[in-house]
Amino acid sequence: MWSIARTRSLQRHIEWALLSAALLGLVVWLGTSLDRVNHIVQDAGLRWVARPTPDNIVIVAIDDASIAAIGRWPWRRALHAELISRISAQQPLAIGMDVLFNEEDLDYPQDDVLLADALSRSGRVVLPVLQRGHGPAADSSDLPWRTFADAAAGLGHVYVAPDPDGVVRSLYLSEGPAAAPWRHFSLALLCVAEPSAPPCSTREPTAQPGQAHPPSVQGNAWQRADRRLIAYGGGPGHFTTYSYIDVLRGQVPPTAFQGKYVLVGAAASGLGDMFATPVGHESRLMPGVEVVAHVLDSRLSGVRIDPASPVLNAAFNLVPVAVALVVLLLAGPLAGLLTCAGLAAATLLLSLALPAWAGLQFAPAGALAGLALAYPLWSWRRLSAAAHFLRLELDRLQREGLSLRLPDGASDSRDFLEKRINAVERASRHLRDLHHFVSESLQQLPTPILVCDPQGRILLTNAAARRHLGIMHPAANLQGESAVELLRDLVLPGTEQPLITHDTLRNRSLPRHTEARDAQERSLLVQCSPFTDLAQAGWLLTLVDLTEMRRAQLQRDQALNFISHDIRAPNASILTLLEMQRAYPGHLDCAELVQRIERYARKSLSMAESFVQLASAESQEYRREPVDLVALLAEAVDDLWALAKEHEVALVVTHAPEAANTLGDRGLLSRAVTNILHNAIKFSPAGGTVRCAILDRGKYWAVSVRDEGPGIAPEKQDQLFGPFKRLHERSHPGIAGVGLGLALVRTVVERHGGVLQVNSEVGQGAEFVLLLPVQA
């Protein structure tokens, strides 16, 4: 069984390792493939970096109101010159004119002069640069007309890089011919306002007179570099915006542009470039000039978001999936499900929060897909393995004789798993019935039985075991209790060492059969049977009470000793006298011979009679009848008066009520009182007094007999009432007896529901008290 379990565990770990390898590989691939899912999460994360509306960036929009007031586009360049002059009058930091002036105006050449003059006088205007043609194969720049380029404070490209879904999420800070790329429009504005800024250390290429483009740019492949994610501060309309026509009319505050970056660009419907952005609400598009404003705002605010490196992104996706796989291997289904859900939520929250917290953007689609697949895939494998295991176990139970061929219920499903479950339910019900039958049978056994595990924890007990342990409540449950503690007083005779310990249970060193003794002086045969067919063997402990058998054996041995020695001795003396008389006639006269034979015969008869009386007192049914203890004591005193006279002992009754009624066998009670009085007389010295009394002690009558004999040491008083015990055989050898009198007294008193007490000290006499129940 142990090897089967190990094989099953090894197979489970191999399956888990293969599934983990396949799933982790899939996660790495999906991390770069599920762009749509990644964009959904990343766009939500970009919304978390929203910022308040900045007060240092202003947009002048060529909007629908301006088109309606001025006329259709394009407008005359004299209007743009006027706009630049009005804005420059308020001393802005920089002006970004996101309008392309790539050729001269042949219809109104004087307007070009006005515009060039306005650009030159302002000294803060940045003009845009575009790539001529389409696609990365185009290799030339579409620059402003040379006069305007010379008059402008700077040039910058305004190209953005839409993703395949058409949403603008990033741009290139450097774009243009490989020999001399252009800065982004926002960086050009920053360099105009702060020429000493780090990105402003290089100069852009300039065209020579008569050339549309600088010679260093001609013939160079177009390149883009330094891709950056756009940290949008808000949705469309996030910045302070003034209408173009309002600026021309002077309908703006006098400090609207002072110390600010001013961006001029198209925002009218159907005019200019409009882009879909991650922060666009309700599919609203954002003008290109506002995209530039967001890039400039993030630069000024120090907010930067970079896409995570491929290695870091792969680790970000692999770690939660690996943790989920480990939990699925070690924990249960519910814990695995909760872990997968928690890790997915944590991955999603981190993906949303890390752009704002750390400036890193991850692609979590691989991790989310892996976490979504880990639980069902592993559950499928475990479910398949469980169904296979159930089928094998049911087949094995049937092969081993457990009948499970029960008719299918009408409600059985055609689903194979439900069929397995129904079969296991029937098998479990069968096993429960069998367990109930075994348990009930065990409860009916009269022998105490305990079933425990190798650590001594009790698994099952029967009613006899609970009674043996002194637990009388029928519903008491000892399951989980320690058998070592409950049986700690069970010791080996002679060594007094505990029989059942944690070490002997764990090491399986308990003897199969051994005899022990408990604190109640019970002799017990302990049978210890290990469950050798289990991987971790338990123990079946059976306690057989041998106390009565050992007592019977002791009584038998005592009886044999009595017969072989005490009764045999007088008879042997008689035979010796007869042989001496036959061998030496006349050695003893006839009278003395008869007298000695008679004495030995009476002694033998007396011992036999005492033995028979004790045996009868222990085994026969008592005849219950009302008995007056006062009268019974008086009769015993009268019967022994002659003996007391012979021993020169006074026999007196010091106290007695008028009547002391009890219920019992009069003959045996009389014999018990007579034996006590007889012993008191025998052990009292000449001239002594034996005092008798009957006292009322509530539920008992106390028949007291006190002598003035040698007394009994306290440590020997427990031996007084055993059969054939003569404690004064050495100190008073002249006092005859075989040690059966007090044994008979104790037996009679206890069988009448009473108690026999002794109070004595050495040299101070002894008092025997017979406590017998009061009977009205």
Side-chain angles (χ1 to χ4, degrees), residues 707 709-721 727-728 742 758-768:
D707 63 40
I712 306 165
E715 64 272 12
K716 294 184 177 181
Q717 292 177 7
D718 291 340
Q719 308 174 25
L720 274 174
F721 307 108
L727 302 184
H728 295 284
L742 290 180
V758 58
N759 304 309
S760 179
E761 293 289 342
V762 176
Q764 299 181 9
E767 178 187 21
F768 290 84

Side-chain angles (χ1 to χ4, degrees), residues 14-138:
I14 292 175
E15 289 185 359
W16 176 84
L18 294 175
L19 176 64
S20 299
L23 189 58
L24 293 176
L26 180 65
V27 167
V28 174
W29 178 73
L30 291 177
T32 58
S33 302
L34 299 177
D35 290 338
R36 186 175 183 85
V37 177
N38 286 326
H39 288 331
I40 292 174
V41 179
Q42 292 168 348
D43 292 350
L46 289 177
R47 298 188 188 102
W48 281 32
V49 296
R51 300 177 296 279
T53 300
D55 57 2
N56 59 348
I57 299 177
V58 177
I59 294 177
V60 176
I62 304 173
D63 55 6
D64 291 330
S66 301
I67 295 291
I70 298 174
R72 69 178 183 176
W73 187 263
W75 298 332
R76 292 182 58 178
R77 291 174 179 175
L79 293 175
H80 299 311
E82 179 65 20
L83 180 76
I84 291 173
S85 297
R86 287 181 177 274
I87 295 175
S88 298
Q90 294 189 12
Q91 299 296 315
L93 293 175
I95 302 173
M97 199 70 184
D98 191 13
V99 179
L100 186 62
F101 305 109
N102 59 345
E103 59 187 14
E104 61 181 326
D105 190 347
L106 299 178
D107 294 331
Y108 304 98
Q110 189 62 30
D111 285 3
D112 288 345
V113 175
L114 293 174
L115 180 57
D117 182 64
L119 292 172
S120 179
R121 284 188 292 106
S122 174
R124 295 179 177 277
V125 180
V126 176
L127 295 180
V129 176
L130 292 177
Q131 180 185 12
R132 177 174 294 177
H134 301 284

Side-chain angles (χ1 to χ4, degrees), residues 2 27 107 114 140 183 196 209 218 488 498 563 570 640 686 719:
W2 175 243
V27 167
D107 294 331
L114 293 174
S140 60
R183 304 186 190 97
S196 61
Q218 300 290 343
R488 63 181 179 275
I563 293 172
L640 294 174
Q719 308 174 25

Side-chain angles (χ1 to χ4, degrees), residues 32 98 137 193 201 261 281 285 421 426 555 620 689 712 757:
T32 58
D98 191 13
S201 59
Y261 293 89
H281 302 289
L285 300 178
I421 293 174
R426 296 186 186 108
Q555 291 177 349
Q620 73 177 15
T689 303
I712 306 165
Q757 297 177 344

Side-chain angles (χ1 to χ4, degrees), residues 409-677:
S411 61
D412 278 357
S413 170
R414 293 182 179 272
D415 179 67
F416 84 98
L417 180 60
E418 188 169 349
K419 287 183 177 180
R420 295 280 189 275
I421 293 174
N422 292 337
V424 171
E425 181 183 7
R426 296 186 186 108
S428 300
R429 186 167 61 248
H430 196 153
L431 290 175
R432 284 196 303 271
D433 294 341
L434 183 60
H435 176 271
H436 181 72
F437 171 75
V438 173
S439 179
E440 287 299 317
S441 301
L442 184 67
Q443 295 299 325
Q444 301 304 320
L445 292 177
T447 304
I449 296 177
L450 298 89
V451 182
C452 63
D453 63 10
Q455 287 72 39
R457 290 187 296 267
I458 290 181
L459 305 176
L460 185 65
T461 59
N462 63 354
R466 293 192 291 273
R467 288 194 301 269
H468 176 83
L469 295 171
I471 301 172
M472 306 309 296
H473 196 284
N477 186 8
L478 298 179
Q479 188 171 0
E481 297 288 337
S482 173
V484 176
E485 292 298 321
L486 292 175
L487 301 176
R488 63 181 179 275
D489 62 339
L490 199 61
V491 298
L492 294 169
T495 64
E496 302 299 324
Q497 295 296 319
L499 173 63
I500 299 175
T501 64
H502 289 292
D503 291 337
T504 56
L505 289 174
R506 186 168 49 251
N507 300 333
R508 303 179 68 182
S509 58
L510 279 175
R512 291 298 184 94
H513 305 278
T514 188
E515 189 170 341
R517 186 182 68 252
D518 63 7
Q520 302 178 32
E521 296 298 324
R522 291 178 294 189
S523 296
L524 300 170
L525 175 63
V526 184
Q527 297 175 328
C528 306
S529 301
F531 299 125
T532 54
D533 59 334
L534 297 180
Q536 292 199 354
W539 288 93
L540 177 67
L541 305 178
T542 305
L543 307 179
V544 181
D545 194 348
L546 303 179
T547 305
E548 293 300 327
M549 185 179 71
R550 292 291 180 246
R551 184 178 296 140
Q553 288 178 345
L554 179 61
Q555 291 177 349
R556 182 200 63 186
D557 295 341
Q558 291 172 342
L560 290 175
N561 182 67
F562 170 72
I563 293 172
S564 63
H565 182 268
D566 292 284
I567 292 185
R568 189 176 174 185
N571 293 331
S573 297
I574 294 174
L575 291 176
T576 300
L577 287 174
L578 293 176
E579 289 176 359
M580 289 178 59
Q581 183 65 23
R582 186 178 301 112
Y584 305 100
H587 181 71
L588 290 177
D589 59 20
C590 185
E592 184 178 358
L593 178 63
V594 172
Q595 183 181 6
R596 289 188 180 187
I597 292 175
E598 180 183 5
R599 184 170 66 249
Y600 289 135
R602 289 186 181 277
K603 182 178 180 181
S604 177
L605 182 61
S606 175
M607 287 189 292
E609 184 179 358
S610 297
F611 182 78
V612 172
Q613 287 176 350
L614 176 61
S616 299
E618 290 177 341
S619 60
Q620 73 177 15
E621 290 293 331
Y622 287 9
R623 183 180 58 187
R624 304 285 180 169
E625 61 180 356
V627 178
D628 184 0
L629 295 177
V630 177
L632 188 144
L633 177 61
E635 292 176 2
V637 169
D638 288 344
D639 292 341
L640 294 174
W641 178 85
L643 180 63
K645 200 72 171 172
E646 181 182 348
H647 284 74
E648 299 180 1
V649 173
L651 189 59
V652 297
V653 177
T654 60
H655 182 275
E658 293 185 0
N661 293 321
T662 188
L663 191 65
D665 190 306
R666 182 180 179 84
L668 289 175
L669 289 175
S670 176
R671 185 65 183 174
V673 174
T674 300
N675 283 358
I676 292 292
L677 288 173

Side-chain angles (χ1 to χ4, degrees), residues 41-366:
V41 179
Q42 292 168 348
D43 292 350
L46 289 177
R47 298 188 188 102
W48 281 32
V49 296
R51 300 177 296 279
T53 300
D55 57 2
N56 59 348
I57 299 177
V58 177
I59 294 177
V60 176
I62 304 173
D63 55 6
D64 291 330
S66 301
I67 295 291
I70 298 174
R72 69 178 183 176
W73 187 263
W75 298 332
R76 292 182 58 178
R77 291 174 179 175
L79 293 175
H80 299 311
E82 179 65 20
L83 180 76
I84 291 173
S85 297
R86 287 181 177 274
I87 295 175
S88 298
Q90 294 189 12
Q91 299 296 315
L93 293 175
I95 302 173
M97 199 70 184
D98 191 13
V99 179
L100 186 62
F101 305 109
N102 59 345
E103 59 187 14
E104 61 181 326
D105 190 347
L106 299 178
D107 294 331
Y108 304 98
Q110 189 62 30
D111 285 3
D112 288 345
V113 175
L114 293 174
L115 180 57
D117 182 64
L119 292 172
S120 179
R121 284 188 292 106
S122 174
R124 295 179 177 277
V125 180
V126 176
L127 295 180
V129 176
L130 292 177
Q131 180 185 12
R132 177 174 294 177
H134 301 284
D139 59 358
S140 60
S141 303
D142 201 352
L143 296 170
W145 186 45
R146 176 58 186 264
T147 301
F148 299 149
D150 291 342
L155 302 178
H157 80 85
V158 292
Y159 178 77
V160 292
D163 289 331
D165 59 355
V167 178
V168 174
R169 299 182 178 89
S170 62
L171 51 78
Y172 294 95
L173 294 181
S174 177
E175 182 171 336
W182 303 98
R183 304 186 190 97
H184 186 258
F185 197 72
S186 61
L187 291 182
L189 285 170
L190 183 63
C191 289
V192 170
E194 301 179 25
S196 61
C200 306
S201 59
T202 59
R203 295 172 58 106
E204 292 134 329
T206 57
Q208 299 298 325
Q211 290 182 329
H213 304 284
S216 62
V217 174
Q218 300 290 343
N220 285 284
W222 193 272
Q223 292 186 356
R224 298 186 174 103
D226 201 4
R227 180 174 179 266
R228 295 291 177 87
L229 296 172
I230 302 174
Y232 289 95
H238 178 68
F239 297 95
T240 302
T241 304
Y242 297 104
S243 178
Y244 190 103
I245 188 63
D246 291 339
V247 178
L248 289 178
R249 289 172 177 172
Q251 297 176 349
V252 294
T255 59
F257 309 118
Q258 184 176 357
K260 300 177 182 178
Y261 293 89
V262 182
L263 297 173
V264 182
S269 302
L271 181 63
D273 46 359
M274 305 291 286
F275 301 102
T277 62
V279 292
H281 302 289
E282 299 178 357
S283 301
R284 289 178 59 190
L285 300 178
M286 182 179 292
V289 65
E290 193 167 350
V291 174
V292 175
H294 280 287
V295 177
L296 178 60
D297 177 40
S298 65
R299 187 85 183 189
L300 295 173
S301 302
V303 178
R304 175 175 173 175
I305 302 176
D306 296 317
S309 67
V311 174
L312 190 59
N313 195 74
F316 181 81
N317 284 275
L318 289 174
V319 168
V321 178
V323 172
L325 289 169
V326 172
V327 173
L328 288 174
L329 175 66
L330 301 178
L334 179 59
L337 178 61
L338 295 178
T339 300
C340 290
L343 288 172
T347 302
L348 186 60
L349 289 175
L350 281 176
S351 302
L352 296 174
L354 283 175
W357 291 350
L360 284 176
Q361 186 182 72
F362 290 90

